[in-house]
């Protein structure tokens, strides 16, 4: 669309470091052992299973996922076959460092990614603990944008989760 309008637009560069965390794998790997050892996960899982075919299923699955993700992010349960929150954040941090190094002074870079990498990047700026970082994921709106400023060693957040480009507020959805 941009090129068709005659506007210069650089070729896309795909950075796997900005890939989303594998939520399905987190659930697949962590739910079974957590069902054995954590009463809250058991209760949330039971509630979800009981309502699986109802309109409440999505909300209940989200609650279960939030609890399981907290165990994952805070490393409450060690599982070798999963990327840890720390490793995920480091992966995102490396990709952000690569972008910062490649971006000429006084210029802008556009990055398209998902709620997890955005939350990891914000958490780096503010040195947030894992639980607070996850909170950013749950509040991220689809198609929103965040702005970061980078000057030398300084990296800061200018705006987060903005959506002035959406005139119709019914278009606002989460993650």
């Amino acid at each position: 669309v941009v090129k068709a309008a005659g506007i210069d637009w650089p070729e896309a560069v795909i950075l796997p470091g900005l890939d989303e965390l594998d939520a399905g794998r987190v659930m697949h790997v962590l739910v079974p052992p957590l069902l054995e050892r954590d009463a809250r996960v058991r209760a949330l899982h039971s509630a979800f299973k009981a309502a699986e075919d109802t309109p409440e299923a999505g909300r209940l699955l989200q609650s279960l996922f939030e609890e399981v993700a907290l165990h994952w992010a805070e490393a409450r349960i060690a599982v070798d076959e999963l990327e840890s929150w720390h490793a995920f954040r480091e992966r995102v941090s490396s990709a952000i460092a690569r972008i910062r190094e490649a971006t000429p002074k006084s210029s802008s870079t556009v990055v398209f990614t998902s709620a997890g990498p955005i939350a990891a990047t914000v958490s780096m700026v503010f040195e947030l603990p894992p639980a607070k970082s996850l909170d950013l994921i749950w509040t991220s709106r689809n198609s929103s944008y965040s702005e970061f400023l980078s000057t030398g060693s300084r990296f800061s957040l200018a705006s987060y989760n903005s959506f002035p480009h959406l005139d119709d507020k019914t278009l606002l959805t989460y993650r």
Side-chain angles (χ1 to χ4, degrees), residues 9 23-24 33 61 77 95 108 118-119 123 126 150 155 158:
W9 191 263
L61 180 59
I77 182 168
S108 297
I118 294 166
S123 77
F126 294 114
S150 178
F155 186 61

Side-chain angles (χ1 to χ4, degrees), residues 62-76:
Q62 177 63 33
S63 295
L64 174 61
F65 178 56
E66 287 181 20
E67 186 64 25
V68 171
L70 186 60
H71 282 267
W72 168 73
E74 291 186 339
R76 294 181 190 172

Side-chain angles (χ1 to χ4, degrees):
V1 172
V2 174
K3 285 184 179 181
I7 300 171
D8 258 353
W9 191 263
E11 287 300 313
V13 176
I14 297 172
L15 294 177
L18 294 177
D19 286 351
E20 182 59 279
L21 61 97
D22 192 343
R25 184 137 175 80
V26 168
M27 292 293 283
H28 178 76
V29 171
L30 292 184
V31 167
L34 287 172
L35 287 174
E36 293 178 13
R37 64 165 88 167
D38 189 272
R40 179 155 169 74
V41 170
R42 270 193 306 280
L44 290 167
H45 185 265
S46 292
F48 167 67
K49 285 297 191 184
E52 208 166 11
D53 297 321
T54 73
E56 285 296 299
R59 184 186 61 77
L60 293 168
L61 180 59
Q62 177 63 33
S63 295
L64 174 61
F65 178 56
E66 287 181 20
E67 186 64 25
V68 171
L70 186 60
H71 282 267
W72 168 73
E74 291 186 339
R76 294 181 190 172
I77 182 168
V79 181
D80 291 336
E81 63 265 31
L82 273 181
E83 178 181 45
S84 68
W85 167 259
H86 177 75
F88 171 71
R89 196 174 130 171
E90 286 302 312
R91 172 169 57 82
V92 171
S93 178
S94 293
I96 296 297
R98 182 173 167 199
I99 293 166
R100 292 176 65 197
E101 290 167 5
T103 302
K105 188 176 181 176
S106 300
S107 67
S108 297
T109 300
V110 177
V111 176
F112 298 91
T113 190
S114 301
I118 294 166
T121 305
V122 173
S123 77
M124 290 182 302
V125 169
F126 294 114
E127 299 177 5
L128 299 175
K132 290 295 180 191
S133 302
L134 290 180
D135 286 345
L136 295 171
I137 295 173
W138 315 141
T139 61
S140 287
R141 297 202 183 221
N142 289 317
S143 86
S144 69
Y145 65 85
S146 299
E147 295 175 278
F148 296 89
L149 303 176
S150 178
T151 307
S153 64
R154 175 182 269 168
F155 186 61
S156 53
L157 180 68
S159 68
Y160 172 72
N161 213 18
S162 300
F163 47 88
H165 54 288
L166 295 178
D167 295 331
D168 181 354
K169 300 308 177 207
T170 64
L171 297 174
L172 292 174
T173 57
Y174 291 92
R175 291 180 277 88

